[in-house]
Amino acid sequence: MLTKKQIQLLEFIHKRMSADGVPPSFDEMKDALDLRSKSGIHRLVTALEERGFIRRLPHRARALEILRLPETLATEQSTAPAKPAGFAPKVITNDRPSRPRGAIGIVDSPAVELPLMGRIAAGVPIEAISEVSHHVAVPGTMLTGKEHHYALEVTGDSMIDAGINDGDVVVIREQDSAENGDIIVALVEGHEATLKRYRRRGAMIALEAANAAYETRILPEESVRVQGRLVGLIRSY
């Protein structure tokens, strides 16, 4: 049986994920539960894990997975009004394709400075980005291996159903290849950069938006160059 605070925390995390696909920080959890310190949140998270309601994902960037909900919360979810058609927030996957759906990230690790290269279009492609505008601090556990990483500010709304909003900062691992389903930075025809989901269709490459208002772009393989893969996201409130 869960305590009142444990139920409140689980409900708060679940509602935030259902609302916009972005988890609350430890500070936000602390404020929501009216606790004095984050140590209380750590104890509650540990208790929920021990009781099988959540799972910490090993070797994942700041991630928890909700395994199940208490009967009272599950009943509320089944009777809640349906979400508007087309709204399907998702957590941005990191560089490990096996990450389970429903996993959420919680920032609580030392920061690393990354170059912010400028803006990337999550909509109509904009001019390719090559100059550093400034640096941003990101959690060190968001980065993968020894590969080079950089950050970009998102402009546009074509990836909102993947949980990527206008104004978000995305963390990109530099690489020149991708697998189907990856969210990538693509250089189109040598001069346009865009953030889209990658699909190979024979000799063609599909750049898919995560917004029904945008059409998928189908381009010859030679017109698309992968410049990096999305491994994390930072959102300011």
Side-chain angles (χ1 to χ4, degrees):
M1 180 178 294
L2 298 182
T3 66
K4 182 178 180 181
K5 286 293 186 183
Q6 290 165 358
I7 292 175
Q8 287 176 344
L9 179 60
L10 191 58
E11 181 179 20
F12 180 60
I13 295 172
H14 181 69
K15 285 185 175 179
R16 279 291 300 273
M17 287 300 301
S18 298
D20 59 13
V22 178
S25 66
F26 270 52
D27 283 325
E28 289 172 327
M29 293 183 202
K30 175 177 67 70
D31 293 342
L33 271 65
D34 197 25
L35 298 180
R36 293 184 178 181
S37 69
K38 289 190 290 186
S39 62
I41 294 298
H42 282 281
R43 287 193 293 271
L44 290 172
V45 168
T46 298
L48 289 171
E49 183 180 30
E50 290 174 348
R51 288 160 176 77
F53 289 90
I54 64 175
R55 179 168 66 96
R56 301 184 208 226
L57 301 178
H59 311 301
R60 302 292 195 272
R62 307 161 294 108
L64 295 175
E65 179 189 7
I66 295 180
L67 299 176
R68 62 190 179 98
L69 295 173
E71 185 176 348
T72 53
L73 292 183
T75 301
E76 290 175 5
Q77 289 297 313
S78 64
T79 58
K83 293 181 181 293
F87 182 78
K90 302 174 184 176
V91 177
I92 301 164
T93 57
N94 62 12
D95 67 310
R96 301 175 186 269
S98 61
R99 179 172 178 170
R101 291 187 179 182
I104 62 176
I106 297 177
V107 175
D108 194 29
S109 64
V112 175
E113 293 285 327
L114 286 185
L116 183 71
M117 304 300 289
R119 291 187 172 186
I120 184 76
V124 179
I126 58 177
E127 289 301 307
I129 298 162
S130 59
E131 295 184 0
V132 176
S133 60
H134 60 280
H135 287 74
V136 294
V138 305
T141 51
M142 186 180 290
L143 310 184
T144 56
K146 297 181 179 180
E147 292 86 353
H148 181 258
H149 295 74
Y150 57 93
L152 294 166
E153 182 182 351
V154 175
T155 178
D157 63 356
S158 76
M159 297 301 290
I160 58 173
D161 287 343
I164 307 173
N165 297 337
D166 183 60
D168 287 346
V169 172
V170 290
V171 178
I172 305 297
R173 185 182 72 181
E174 188 172 345
Q175 60 185 67
D176 58 7
S177 63
E179 297 181 3
N180 284 340
D182 288 348
I183 295 177
I184 66 163
V185 173
L187 185 65
V188 179
E189 297 179 346
H191 66 277
E192 295 176 329
T194 190
L195 186 72
K196 290 292 182 292
R197 195 176 297 279
Y198 174 95
R199 304 279 184 192
R200 174 175 288 278
R201 300 181 181 179
M204 306 295 284
I205 301 297
L207 299 178
E208 298 178 352
N211 183 337
Y214 292 81
E215 294 183 356
T216 296
R217 299 184 71 191
I218 309 294
L219 299 162
E221 180 179 6
E222 60 272 17
S223 297
V224 179
R225 193 171 78 209
V226 177
Q227 293 194 311
R229 178 180 181 180
L230 185 142
V231 296
L233 177 146
I234 302 170
R235 178 166 297 161
S236 299
Y237 293 92

